[in-house]
Amino acid sequence: MPRSIPPLPGLTRYTDWALVPDGLQTKTQLDRQGLKPGSGPVGQVLYHGNSYAPLYEVTTAVPKRRVSPAQRAVLDRARELQYRCRRCGTEETEPLGRGRFCDPCRYAMTLWDQHHQAQFLARELVADPAAVLLVVDVAPDSLPGAQGVAVVSVHDRQVLYAAPAGEYGSPERGVVVDRLDSLLADRLVVEEPDFMGPSRRFPQALLRLPTPEPVRPGRDPLHPWAAPHSQENPSLSRIWAGWFGWTERPSYTVACVPWEWGGDIPVPWSRSLDLAADGLSMAALLHRIADGTEPVWERAAWTLDEYGVGSSEASA
């Protein structure tokens, strides 16, 4: 049943069409005769059992304004454009709706927006003297000399701190955590997710025993720099993925890291046991993204269709 339309106050109500006097009609009935109401409603009739339609006097109705040929041409043109993509010009069989973009163009523009946002974030990080890259390696089966931590400044690409991590619960690990608490206070921390490194690289691994249990999301109240899996801190791999534009499927609108999905495209920063060198490599990548010199995927959606890139260009 359609949504109820309440009666208008102060007007006579007719509960059946047979009760409506001659000379009273609804807007729809007048419209079919090329007329429109010339005065306000004088009554109302119940329809569908729960709605009232206003009634108007036929004697006061006036002819509807006719559409001129020029106006008709404009309306026809507007109706025609509802089926044509404003970016590539493709004609569709269904109206394209708000924005008037076909699915392939919407897909390309979505990935372009991620690409653009990645550069915007990279530029913010490069310009921020407080932004740092945090690289950790605390896997229990790593080489003895591999367990460590490094902090690299993004802005000037300087190693601010590099040290062995020590084992969980040891004085050496406590010194490292205390140093990070002091060094990373009020800083924007960028991290490399653990699936990108040769071993366990998420910062929260510094604070707990190595177990197969998943890391609980959210910030540690005592160590806010140790947000797990980049849910709080920006991730270098996500920034690069958005810039590079690789997707697992042709219709996938979220850029991914190829290594995450088993792709065969190598990431453009080093992944080794030299954490300071890896951090410097990541900082250099952020600078290249900020400058626009880092390559994108040769099959990135916005580079293939030859119709421009973002929505701003399409609407110009």
Side-chain angles (χ1 to χ4, degrees):
M1 182 175 291
R3 186 170 56 183
S4 172
I5 299 177
L8 296 172
L11 296 180
T12 303
R13 304 179 190 176
Y14 301 96
T15 57
D16 191 276
W17 287 98
L19 301 177
V20 177
D22 294 338
L24 296 184
Q25 295 184 1
T26 64
K27 280 186 178 181
T28 301
Q29 292 171 323
L30 293 174
D31 182 72
R32 292 170 181 167
Q33 305 171 61
L35 302 173
K36 65 179 182 179
S39 60
V42 296
Q44 51 197 329
V45 60
L46 180 68
Y47 69 101
H48 288 315
N50 66 343
S51 298
Y52 282 86
L55 296 169
Y56 304 87
E57 292 183 348
V58 177
T59 56
T60 62
V62 297
K64 292 181 64 177
R65 179 182 176 184
R66 294 187 177 275
V67 178
S68 68
Q71 290 173 323
R72 175 61 63 188
V74 171
L75 292 174
D76 291 343
R77 175 62 175 169
R79 190 175 296 109
E80 175 187 341
L81 290 177
Q82 289 298 317
Y83 296 83
R84 180 179 300 173
C85 177
R86 64 192 300 189
R87 184 169 179 267
C88 69
T90 300
E91 296 281 352
E92 298 289 341
T93 58
E94 299 290 336
L96 294 174
R98 185 177 182 180
R100 299 204 323 270
F101 296 112
C102 64
D103 287 342
C105 283
R106 198 179 303 277
Y107 162 71
M109 290 162 55
T110 299
L111 290 171
W112 163 260
D113 288 341
Q114 296 174 31
H115 169 84
H116 179 73
Q117 287 299 319
Q119 185 178 44
F120 178 79
L121 180 54
R123 287 176 173 173
E124 282 192 332
L125 293 171
V126 167
D128 186 356
V132 294
L133 283 155
L134 175 60
V135 188
V136 300
D137 178 9
V138 290
D141 55 352
S142 296
L143 298 176
Q147 297 193 33
V149 60
V151 178
V152 176
S153 169
V154 176
H155 179 68
D156 54 10
R157 287 181 273 187
Q158 297 293 322
V159 178
L160 303 180
Y161 179 64
E167 295 186 2
Y168 182 83
S170 67
E172 292 79 10
R173 178 68 62 86
V175 170
V176 168
V177 172
D178 290 344
R179 182 72 178 100
L180 291 177
D181 286 341
S182 173
L183 181 62
L184 302 180
D186 300 322
R187 285 185 179 269
L188 179 58
V189 178
V190 184
E191 63 183 42
E192 177 190 23
D194 66 301
F195 60 77
M196 298 304 303
S199 54
R200 308 292 285 179
R201 282 197 161 175
F202 53 83
Q204 200 180 51
L206 289 166
L207 307 177
R208 66 180 182 86
L209 284 168
T211 65
E213 298 178 1
V215 180
R216 288 182 295 179
R219 286 183 179 270
D220 185 295
L222 300 179
H223 313 285
W225 48 267
H229 296 296
S230 304
Q231 295 190 27
E232 299 290 341
N233 298 332
S235 160
L236 177 90
S237 64
R238 294 301 178 192
I239 296 172
W240 174 73
W243 171 266
F244 191 66
W246 185 88
T247 52
E248 183 192 20
R249 304 178 183 90
S251 60
Y252 203 43
T253 57
V254 177
C256 329
V257 180
W259 277 72
E260 181 181 0
W261 295 100
D264 56 358
I265 300 172
V267 295
W269 68 91
S270 66
R271 293 168 297 120
S272 69
L273 300 181
D274 187 342
L275 305 186
D278 289 355
L280 292 173
S281 176
M282 297 176 199
L285 172 63
L286 288 175
H287 278 260
R288 294 196 301 271
I289 292 176
D291 296 338
T293 57
E294 176 64 23
V296 300
W297 188 34
E298 60 182 9
R299 295 172 57 191
W302 66 87
T303 68
L304 296 179
D305 59 17
E306 300 179 356
Y307 295 113
V309 285
S311 56
S312 59
E313 292 192 11
S315 59

